[in-house]
Amino acid sequence: QVQLVESGGGLVQPGGSLRLSCLASGSISSINAMAWYRQAPGKERELVAAITSGGTTKYTDSVKGRFTISSDNAKIAVYLQMNSLKPEDTAVYYCSFDYYVFRRPYNSWGQGTQVTVSS
């Protein structure tokens, strides 16, 4: 089973920036897509950004123009650059990979990293 480890969360003031990283360990034949989700207290988990193996990206409307998702297929990693952070971005952020191992599809999640935007 592939394990995902997130890092980069923390406390930041409104308007500040953070860069989240998610590195995979384990055997992966190929990656279909990687994504970042978040879950704020009392709210459902939502998709923040996603990137396919071909580099196509999509973002939820609330982060467009502020967040950038990128990947490093050689390192099997996905990143989320978050700029102009707002208090409403406060949440636990999770990375998720859709991948194949010997043609069988799998999905793995990280343990989550807390992002708190507050003055």
Side-chain angles (χ1 to χ4, degrees):
Q1 183 73 10
V2 169
Q3 292 188 333
L4 307 181
V5 178
E6 299 124 336
S7 61
L11 173 64
V12 64
Q13 293 186 343
S17 298
L18 283 175
R19 185 174 188 252
L20 305 183
S21 299
C22 175
L23 276 67
S25 62
S27 178
I28 295 178
S29 299
S30 62
I31 294 174
N32 183 35
M34 295 177 276
W36 286 96
Y37 289 76
R38 67 185 178 187
Q39 187 167 20
K43 295 187 177 181
E44 293 185 354
R45 188 173 298 187
E46 65 168 346
L47 176 66
V48 176
I51 185 167
T52 68
S53 59
T56 301
T57 59
K58 68 175 181 180
Y59 299 90
T60 190
D61 287 345
S62 62
V63 308
K64 286 180 181 177
R66 301 188 298 122
F67 291 11
T68 302
I69 189 170
S70 61
S71 64
D72 185 331
N73 290 337
K75 294 182 179 179
I76 316 180
V78 65
Y79 308 95
L80 187 67
Q81 178 66 44
M82 305 185 294
N83 298 327
S84 303
L85 282 161
K86 304 175 180 180
E88 51 263 43
D89 295 317
T90 295
V92 178
Y93 284 70
Y94 301 87
C95 63
S96 174
F97 282 24
D98 291 326
Y99 59 96
Y100 290 88
V101 179
F102 300 118
R103 300 184 181 180
R104 292 187 62 185
Y106 291 88
N107 174 257
S108 291
W109 290 81
Q111 81 287 355
T113 185
Q114 177 70 47
V115 171
T116 303
V117 184
S118 174
S119 55

